[in-house]
Structure formats: C-alpha cells, structure tokens
C-alpha cells in the first residue's frame, strides 16, 4: 500500500476506506438528497455491513460496484441509510394547533360537501399519519365515523417501502400506546397482549405510497395540510429550498405546512408563507 492509497479504517470485519465512504456519500446524496458528512463515516459502515455480509462479498469496494450496477440493491442501500425515528404525536404542539385551529375549518368544509386532503411526506412506519387521522376524527367515535364518511383522505409517503409495509398493517408494540392521549387511544386503538392495533377506520383513511421527494411527484391535486417534519435536516440548503418551494406549490391556497422543530423556511417559499405557530405556516389564500 503506497502513500497515495486510501488506508482502510482499522478493526472492521470488512475492508472499508475513505474512498468507499466518499462513494457511498455521493451516491446517497444524488439519489435521495441526504447529506452524509465525514462524521457519519462509521454510521455508513454500520448500516451497510449487513448487506455486504448477506451478499457474501469480500469488501465494501465490491459492494459499491454492485450498487452502481444494480438499481434494486442501490435502493436497499439507500433505504438502509435513512433514519426512521418517529412516534405517535411527536412534537405534540403541532397536533394541539391542528385540533384547535385547523380541524374546525376542515369539518365545516366536509359538512358542506367539500373535500379534504392531507399529506404526511415522511410517513415512516405510520405513527404520524395515524396521529393526524385521530386528531381529525376526535374523541367521539360516532362523530368520527361521520367525518370519515366524507370526502377525506390522508396520503403517507416515504422513501422506504419496508417502513410503509409496517404502516399499512397498523400494528405496533403495545408500549407505544403511552404516546397517544388517553381519550384518543381508547377510541381508536385496541391492545391485545403485546400488540396495539389502530382502528380499521384509521387504516382506511390513509393511503401509503413510496416516494422519493427529490423525484417527480405524481399527485395532481393540492393538499389542505402537509406534514414534512424532520426530513430537511438531512438535506443541504439548496435542496431544502427547492423542496419547500415544491411543498408550497402543492398546498392549496390557505393550506397549512408543518415542519420539524429544528427546521426553518428559507428562499422564495418564505414569501408565500405566514408563520402562525411554532414551525407551523399558512399559505396565502389569494
């Protein structure tokens, strides 16, 4: 090994060099927009080593050659790099604001025969869309049935097909029930043994689709509410600005955008939104 050859990181099961990390980082950014700084070097190793092992390969360089050639394996690798941390009613101030200010407007529209569309752009394993559905339907099951009978739907999208499979099932460890407000939990979930199931009415309201936010979006209609939380923190500034501008385009006039607590709105989109709460924005009605 001469001085110009990247030296492997020591103490690892498979040879893994700075050049390997740089190649993975560039590929993940190109296909998903996720930025992987140098501090994530060993995170990349830990997320991908299982895939290298499953393929029976001798080093990371060989696996990188594989994912360059094989789109399906590349998708597996990129999904392995995504973070899917979520919980029911995460950042609960958003749901309080929704119940207090947005829900009455949406119910009035449904009562008048109108339609309501909402989008969770990083749905992960489904906790966020189901939290939004519970917040819309409320604590009274009979009232919730009437609301759900209107022209209302929630779209849940994610880069990872594996997490969406979990979301569609609507089955979770019973311990997660503690994150749901008591009255909503009693109305819309059932616990049996160590499993909590969300009500079929909730599952029927949410449609799950795989979507890379950097690619073309197939949705034709606009949304009254968009949740895109704790996603942009993984993007660089130009990618964030482009994404937010597209989200605003996808909002109906007067629609609401919810972002993560550490995220900010910038660029051209900031002129089209009005802050109305903690990381809650409303698009101009005109």
């Amino acid at each position: 090994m001469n001085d110009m050859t990247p030296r492997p990181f020591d103490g690892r099961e498979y040879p893994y060099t700075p050049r390997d990390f740089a190649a993975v980082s560039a590929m993940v950014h190109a296909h998903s927009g996720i930025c992987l700084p140098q501090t994530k070097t060993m995170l990349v190793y830990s997320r991908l080593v299982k895939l290298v092992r499953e393929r029976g390969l001798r080093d990371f360089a060989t696996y990188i050659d594989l994912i360059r050639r094989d789109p399906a394996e590349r998708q597996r690798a990129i999904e392995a790099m995504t973070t899917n941390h979520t919980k029911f009613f995460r950042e609960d101030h958003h749901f309080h604001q929704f119940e207090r200010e947005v829900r009455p407007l949406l119910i009035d529209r449904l009562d008048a025969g109108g339609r309501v569309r909402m989008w969770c752009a990083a749905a992960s394993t489904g906790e966020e869309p189901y939290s939004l559905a519970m917040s819309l339907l409320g604590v009274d099951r009979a009232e919730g049935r009437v609301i759900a009978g209107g022209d209302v739907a929630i779209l849940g999208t994610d880069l990872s097909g594996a997490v969406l499979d979990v979301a569609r099932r609507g089955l979770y460890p019973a311990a997660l029930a503690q994150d749901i407000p008591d009255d909503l939990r009693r109305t819309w979930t059932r616990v049996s043994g160590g499993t909590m199931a969300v009500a079929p009415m909730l599952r029927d309201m949410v449609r799950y689709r795989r979507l890379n936010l950097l690619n073309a979006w197939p949705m034709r209609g606009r949304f009254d509410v968009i949740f895109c939380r704790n996603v942009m923190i993984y993007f660089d500034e130009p990618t964030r600005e482009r994404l937010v501008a597209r989200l605003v385009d996808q909002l109906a006039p007067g629609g609401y955008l919810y972002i993560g607590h550490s995220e900010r709105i910038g660029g051209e989109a900031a002129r089209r939104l009005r802050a109305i709460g903690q990381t809650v924005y409303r698009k101009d009605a005109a």
Side-chain angles (χ1 to χ4, degrees):
M1 182 179 293
N2 61 42
D3 291 341
M4 299 302 291
T5 303
R7 297 182 181 276
F9 300 103
D10 294 332
R12 301 293 157 183
E13 180 181 357
Y14 296 95
Y16 173 57
T17 70
R19 181 177 292 167
D20 297 333
F21 168 75
V24 172
S25 178
M27 204 176 310
V28 169
H29 184 265
H31 288 274
S32 71
I34 297 172
C35 293
L36 295 171
Q38 199 71 34
T39 55
K40 303 296 185 183
T41 295
M42 299 322 298
L43 173 69
V44 168
Y45 181 94
S46 65
R47 295 282 179 88
L48 295 185
V49 68
K50 178 181 178 183
L51 302 182
V52 176
R53 191 183 301 121
E54 286 179 358
R55 286 293 190 175
L57 302 177
R58 65 182 184 273
D59 54 32
F60 267 72
T62 307
Y63 185 69
I64 290 166
D65 287 341
L66 172 64
I67 60 179
R68 284 192 175 117
R69 293 181 281 104
D70 186 334
E73 190 65 28
R74 183 166 58 245
Q75 181 66 31
R76 287 186 73 205
I78 291 171
E79 289 188 10
M81 297 309 308
T82 59
T83 299
N84 292 299
H85 175 69
T86 186
K87 59 182 288 189
F88 286 98
F89 290 88
R90 184 182 185 188
E91 298 182 38
D92 59 356
H93 62 278
H94 283 159
F95 297 98
H96 295 321
Q97 186 274 342
F98 174 86
E99 291 170 356
R100 183 177 62 252
E101 300 179 25
V102 184
R103 179 178 185 266
L105 301 176
L106 300 183
I107 291 175
D108 285 348
R109 184 183 306 164
L110 291 170
D111 288 343
R115 56 177 265 170
V116 168
R117 294 293 183 268
M118 299 186 283
W119 177 23
C120 292
S124 188
T125 44
E127 287 91 329
E128 179 181 273
Y130 291 134
S131 298
L132 185 57
M134 291 184 216
S135 298
L136 177 67
L137 298 187
V139 300
D140 184 277
R141 180 176 287 271
E143 181 188 17
R145 188 176 294 110
V146 172
I147 296 169
D151 189 357
V152 56
I154 299 172
L155 174 65
T157 64
D158 201 276
L159 180 66
S160 169
V163 297
L164 294 178
D165 288 341
V166 175
R168 290 185 185 98
R169 289 192 290 270
L171 301 174
Y172 301 93
L176 299 188
Q178 66 185 355
D179 297 324
I180 304 174
D182 290 346
D183 47 4
L184 292 175
R185 185 184 69 243
R186 286 191 294 266
T187 304
W188 300 115
T189 72
R190 292 293 180 268
V191 174
S192 177
T195 300
M196 179 188 71
V198 301
M201 197 181 302
L202 296 186
R203 294 202 311 273
D204 291 344
M205 285 182 63
V206 187
R207 303 164 186 169
Y208 290 104
R209 299 289 185 271
R210 197 171 82 175
L211 180 69
N212 185 332
L213 290 174
L214 265 62
N215 294 343
W217 298 349
M219 304 86 75
R220 295 182 181 274
R222 292 185 175 182
F223 294 91
D224 306 293
V225 173
I226 296 177
F227 274 56
C228 187
R229 307 187 304 166
N230 306 302
V231 178
M232 292 182 282
I233 54 175
Y234 301 107
F235 297 159
D236 57 28
E237 189 61 31
T239 304
R240 282 195 293 268
E241 290 189 3
R242 287 193 297 271
L243 174 60
V244 173
R246 295 178 71 192
L247 291 171
V248 176
D249 287 342
Q250 206 70 50
L251 270 179
Y256 295 82
L257 174 64
Y258 296 77
I259 65 174
H261 71 279
S262 62
E263 297 170 330
R264 298 293 178 268
I265 297 294
E268 179 268 341
R271 295 189 291 273
R272 304 165 62 194
L273 295 170
R274 178 167 49 91
I276 61 169
Q278 184 181 354
T279 54
V280 183
Y281 299 84
R282 192 174 192 189
K283 183 177 178 178
D284 293 338

